[in-house]
């Protein structure tokens, strides 16, 4: 019998959830790519699996923001927002601590949650998870950009139809028409084509490799030998980097845990959940911390000191150390730290002072949040960084999924206490496009509407759903009025201006050589890298790959 569906607010987003089962322990299921908690109960195989779990646990189901019965969203969700959704659902049902069961992409946020909130995690169970979703020399099992492009093309052209190659997710059910029809319907009801594309792009950016060593809860990694969606080597790679993790290789080639040898899967899960001995409350957890160094000493009674404190409080930061020139803050995640840093930068600059900011992530003591490496990072920021500059470590950059922030490699390499080298990146956020670079015409500087339009386009640069309608709404003019004014000042239509700003920004990023061409295409609002390349060549008479060369 299907449980009642309820809603809880996570920030401003409504998250749908269900609770069932009679077990003594709580288990939160974090689904993969797309879900719909109502439609789950129309699949006998999945119902049977869930009901078996319900015999040993109180099972908590929810649809991630942007999917299923939860609110749709217009931008990529950040990892902190997705962790907030888990916490909101747990709070709604009175769950202080739970087993996290993450499937496929849901395993990535489950792993980060376990490292960030060990006090709320009994243990971590995963099935068919990955640490990265784009090929690299140190993670060669992930799809290449060309393989990811095939997924984007499939979503764009065949979403929810029989041409989705769903048989690859469940080969053992390939000839079961009823099951395959349900699976196609399940995906359609879980996300629209646009939402599915957004979530797929989000998955492409996932990289949790650096945080695996900070997971200190009992962990079970389940992976099928011939799963073509997530390779067996990926599960082995993850298990090797989590202290004490148990890795179980299962026969079969299904990516879905509720088909194939489900009895074996259930047996492994039950044995682990019921017999694992929870570790004592962890003495360490993953922290995002920010170091700020101001050029001139600040009196604690000053207006600037008050403004800094208010800004930090708005973003949920905690002050660990505060001197006249330097402060160290902690945050629950990297995106809030980066958003806070950009606002702090503007606050300090408005008082004609200068500030240097650095952001890193480290596993530190819960008691004092400080370790030797954080002290080294403080020294780096105070002595080697440039005023009015924000630098982040590579780990921070990798976890800034869904954040509209741009990076360029920093000339300094951070040496840790253990002797490891860490790449640094400089943040530049919503950098205005020089209007003179859009075309050869000189735009009147007094044209405040044009400046407002350009700023709005820059703000939505990575949103491929952004267009003239949204632009007109946000700048408060009619489409006809905007068309007339832009034609007079730029000799471009609104669509041409949006495209030109995007392409010029993409050119800057390619020259900076900080990301792949596919990643830059997505960052600048193009859902198809191949289409991006065509538009780029038409604009600049050179292809992106030729520009790289």
């Amino acid at each position: 019998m299907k449980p009642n569906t309820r809603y809880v607010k996570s920030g401003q987003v409504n998250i749908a959830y269900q609770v069932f089962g009679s077990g003594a322990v709580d288990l939160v299921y974090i689904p993969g790519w797309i879900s719909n908690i109502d439609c789950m109960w129309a699949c006998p195989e999945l119902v049977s699996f869930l009901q078996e779990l319900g015999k040993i646990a109180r099972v908590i189901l929810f649809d991630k923001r942007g999917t299923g019965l939860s609110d749709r969203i217009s931008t990529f969700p950040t990892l902190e927002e997705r962790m907030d959704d888990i916490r909101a659902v747990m709070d709604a049902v009175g769950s202080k601590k739970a087993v996290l069961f993450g499937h496929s992409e849901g395993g990535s946020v489950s792993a980060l949650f376990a490292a960030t909130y060990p006090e709320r995690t009994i243990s971590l169970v995963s099935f068919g998870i990955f640490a990265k979703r784009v090929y690299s020399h140190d993670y060669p099992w992930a799809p290449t950009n060309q393989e990811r492009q095939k997924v984007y093309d499939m979503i764009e052209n065949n979403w929810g139809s029989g041409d989705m190659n769903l048989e690859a997710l469940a080969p053992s059910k390939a000839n079961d028409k009823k099951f395959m029809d349900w699976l196609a319907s399940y995906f359609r009801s879980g996300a629209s084509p646009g939402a599915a594309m957004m979530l797929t792009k989000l998955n492409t950016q996932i990289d949790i490799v650096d945080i695996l060593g900070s997971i200190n809860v009992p962990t079970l990694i389940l992976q099928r030998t011939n799963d073509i969606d997530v390779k067996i080597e990926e599960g082995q790679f993850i298990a090797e980097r989590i202290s004490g993790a148990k890795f179980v290789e299962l026969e079969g080639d299904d990516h879905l845990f509720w088909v194939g040898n489900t009895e074996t899967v259930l047996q492994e899960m039950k044995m682990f959940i019921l017999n694992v001995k929870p570790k004592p409350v962890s003495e360490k957890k993953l922290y995002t911390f920010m170091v700020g160094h101001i050029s001139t000493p600040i009196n604690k009674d000053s207006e600037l000191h008050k403004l800094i404190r208010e800004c930090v409080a708005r973003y949920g930061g905690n002050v660990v150390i505060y001197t006249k020139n330097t402060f160290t803050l902690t945050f629950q995640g990297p995106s809030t730290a980066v958003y806070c840093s950009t606002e702090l930068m503007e606050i300090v600059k408005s008082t004609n002072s200068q500030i240097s900011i650095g952001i890193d992530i480290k596993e530190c003591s819960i008691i004092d949040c400080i370790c030797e490496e954080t002290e080294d990072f403080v020294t780096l920021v105070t002595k080697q960084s440039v005023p009015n500059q924000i630098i982040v470590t590579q780990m921070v950059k990798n976890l800034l999924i869904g954040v509209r922030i741009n990076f360029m490699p920093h000339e300094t390499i951070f040496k840790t206490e253990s002797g490891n080298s860490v790449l640094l990146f400089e943040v530049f956020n919503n950098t205005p496009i020089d209007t003179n670079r859009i075309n050869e015409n000189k735009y009147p500087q007094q044209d405040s509407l044009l400046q407002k339009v350009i700023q709005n386009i820059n703000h939505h640069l990575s949103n491929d759903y952004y267009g003239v309608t949204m632009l007109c709404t946000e700048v408060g003019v009619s489409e006809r009025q905007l068309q007339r004014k832009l034609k007079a000042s730029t000799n471009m239509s609104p669509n041409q201006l949006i495209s030109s700003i995007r392409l010029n920004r993409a050119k800057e990023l390619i020259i900076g050589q900080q990301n792949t061409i596919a990643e830059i295409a997505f960052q600048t609002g193009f859902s198809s890298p191949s289409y991006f390349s065509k538009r780029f060549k038409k604009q600049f008479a050179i292809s992106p790959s030729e520009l790289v060369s």
Side-chain angles (χ1 to χ4, degrees):
M1 184 177 186
K2 182 175 76 67
N4 292 330
T5 299
R6 297 183 174 88
Y7 285 89
V8 62
K9 284 273 192 182
S10 178
Q12 298 301 311
V13 178
N14 290 291
I15 303 297
Y17 71 93
Q18 297 172 351
V19 184
F20 67 93
S22 55
V25 64
D26 287 344
L27 181 146
V28 180
Y29 168 49
I30 298 92
W33 182 31
I34 289 166
S35 68
N36 183 307
I37 55 176
D38 269 0
C39 288
M40 286 181 185
W41 298 92
C43 174
E45 293 87 349
L46 183 51
V47 170
S48 176
F49 194 101
L50 293 174
Q51 287 177 337
E52 284 299 311
L53 285 182
K55 293 176 182 178
I56 65 164
R58 181 173 69 143
V59 180
I60 303 161
L61 309 176
F62 74 100
D63 284 328
K64 296 176 295 187
R65 59 177 59 207
T67 68
L69 306 179
S70 294
D71 280 349
R72 294 297 186 261
I73 51 178
S74 59
T75 58
F76 288 161
T78 66
L79 288 172
E80 284 102 301
E81 288 171 333
R82 295 185 57 188
M83 290 194 293
D84 286 344
D85 295 347
I86 297 173
R87 287 195 301 159
V89 171
M90 289 177 66
D91 290 343
V93 301
S95 177
K96 295 186 189 295
K97 206 167 185 178
V99 176
L100 301 182
F101 173 35
H103 176 222
S104 192
E105 175 266 332
S108 304
V109 73
S110 304
L112 184 59
F113 188 98
T116 309
Y117 301 106
E119 71 279 7
R120 301 206 65 173
T121 308
I122 297 172
S123 59
L124 173 64
V125 178
S126 71
F127 187 97
I129 72 168
F130 50 85
K132 292 176 69 170
R133 210 52 174 152
V134 174
Y135 172 89
S136 63
H137 71 278
D138 56 347
Y139 197 89
W141 316 286
T144 63
N145 284 320
Q146 291 75 19
E147 289 169 331
R148 292 302 282 170
Q149 181 59 43
K150 291 178 182 177
V151 178
Y152 304 142
D153 293 341
M154 178 276 293
I155 293 170
E156 190 166 342
N157 300 318
N158 304 306
W159 181 245
S161 72
D163 300 323
M164 288 177 64
N165 193 29
L166 297 180
E167 294 82 2
L169 299 178
S172 69
K173 288 285 187 179
N175 297 319
D176 186 336
K177 186 176 185 306
K178 185 176 180 181
F179 179 88
M180 299 310 297
D181 286 346
W182 168 83
L183 190 58
S185 175
Y186 178 67
F187 284 136
R188 282 195 303 270
S189 63
S192 65
M197 182 71 82
M198 180 187 295
L199 290 164
T200 306
K201 290 180 183 179
L202 176 72
N203 290 352
T204 301
Q205 299 176 37
I206 286 176
D207 184 346
I208 60 165
V209 170
D210 291 332
I211 64 98
L212 295 174
S214 299
I215 298 173
N216 294 308
V217 301
T219 301
L220 171 66
I221 310 288
L222 300 168
Q223 210 98 349
R224 286 198 174 111
T225 304
N226 298 312
D227 185 340
I228 66 167
D229 193 61
V230 179
K231 306 295 190 294
I232 188 69
E233 292 88 353
E234 299 184 66
Q236 294 167 337
F237 176 94
I238 293 169
E240 288 169 1
R241 283 156 179 76
I242 300 176
S243 177
K246 180 182 180 182
F247 177 73
V248 177
E249 180 175 346
L250 302 163
E251 293 181 358
D253 47 10
D254 293 302
H255 183 62
L256 307 181
F257 61 82
W258 63 90
V259 298
N261 51 350
T262 54
E263 288 299 324
T264 305
V265 177
L266 279 166
Q267 183 181 1
E268 291 288 347
M269 288 183 65
K270 287 179 179 179
M271 286 175 57
F272 181 79
I273 292 168
L274 295 176
N275 297 326
V276 72
K277 293 180 180 178
K279 292 184 179 180
V281 176
S282 178
E283 296 179 355
K284 292 185 175 183
K285 63 184 288 186
L286 208 59
Y287 282 101
T288 298
F289 69 93
M290 177 201 297
V291 177
H293 179 69
I294 301 171
S295 56
T296 54
I298 298 175
N299 190 299
K300 290 193 175 182
D301 297 326
S302 69
E303 181 66 19
L304 179 54
H305 182 271
K306 178 185 174 184
L307 291 172
I308 290 173
R309 288 274 186 174
E310 289 175 349
C311 178
V312 171
R314 280 197 300 275
Y315 289 92
N318 295 308
V319 179
V320 180
I321 299 173
Y322 202 116
T323 66
K324 288 185 177 181
N325 290 82
T326 306
F327 54 79
T328 301
L329 316 171
T330 60
F331 295 83
Q332 294 290 3
S335 66
T336 48
V338 171
Y339 285 138
C340 181
S341 72
T342 57
E343 189 170 335
L344 280 174
M345 183 71 69
E346 295 306 314
I347 289 171
V348 175
K349 286 166 67 176
S350 70
T351 64
N352 295 320
S353 296
Q354 295 180 322
I355 186 172
S356 303
I357 296 176
I359 301 171
D360 193 10
I361 295 177
K362 276 288 174 288
E363 183 185 7
C364 296
S365 166
I366 290 175
I367 297 174
D368 58 19
C369 315
I370 294 296
C371 61
E372 289 182 354
E373 289 185 7
T374 62
E375 292 172 353
D376 289 344
F377 194 69
V378 171
T379 302
L380 170 74
V381 174
T382 55
K383 294 187 176 180
Q384 296 187 40
S385 58
V386 177
N388 298 329
Q389 180 185 74
I390 302 168
I391 57 173
V392 303
T393 60
Q394 186 167 26
M395 185 187 293
V396 173
K397 177 180 177 290
N398 289 345
L399 294 177
L400 286 173
I401 298 172
V403 180
R404 290 196 187 99
I405 296 292
N406 297 311
F407 306 93
M408 65 171 57
H410 192 265
E411 59 187 18
T412 304
I413 294 179
F414 175 45
K415 294 284 187 180
T416 68
E417 180 70 17
S418 58
N420 294 326
S421 298
V422 177
L423 295 178
L424 298 175
F425 295 85
E426 182 183 346
V427 171
F428 54 103
N429 182 32
N430 294 332
T431 306
I433 299 291
D434 183 351
T435 50
N436 292 327
R437 295 176 65 178
I438 297 173
N439 67 13
E440 294 178 356
N441 295 327
K442 298 289 185 181
Y443 297 156
Q445 293 300 311
Q446 67 270 24
D447 191 343
S448 59
L449 175 62
L450 178 60
Q451 297 300 319
K452 192 174 180 181
V453 165
I454 292 171
Q455 288 173 4
N456 193 267
I457 295 170
N458 276 307
H459 182 69
H460 293 283
L461 205 63
S462 63
N463 183 359
D464 57 331
Y465 300 109
Y466 178 80
V468 178
T469 301
M470 187 183 297
L471 173 60
C472 291
T473 301
E474 296 201 1
V475 300
V477 297
S478 69
E479 190 167 336
R480 178 176 292 181
Q481 184 182 10
L482 183 66
Q483 184 94 14
R484 179 170 50 82
K485 282 190 170 283
L486 290 185
K487 196 71 175 175
S489 60
T490 71
N491 199 32
M492 290 186 185
S493 69
N495 276 323
Q496 288 171 330
L497 182 62
I498 292 171
S499 177
S500 188
I501 288 177
R502 283 176 161 164
L503 290 167
N504 273 279
R505 183 74 190 106
K507 184 178 179 182
E508 290 179 352
L509 294 173
I510 290 171
I511 291 171
Q513 295 186 349
Q514 59 186 18
N515 284 315
T516 66
I517 291 172
E519 288 170 337
I520 290 170
F522 302 143
Q523 288 174 11
T524 51
F526 292 89
S527 61
S528 167
S530 58
Y531 176 69
F532 163 71
S533 294
K534 290 177 183 177
R535 294 299 304 272
F536 191 94
K537 187 162 186 176
K538 184 176 181 181
Q539 175 97 353
F540 301 113
I542 185 174
S543 71
S545 57
E546 289 170 338
L547 181 59
V548 169
S549 302

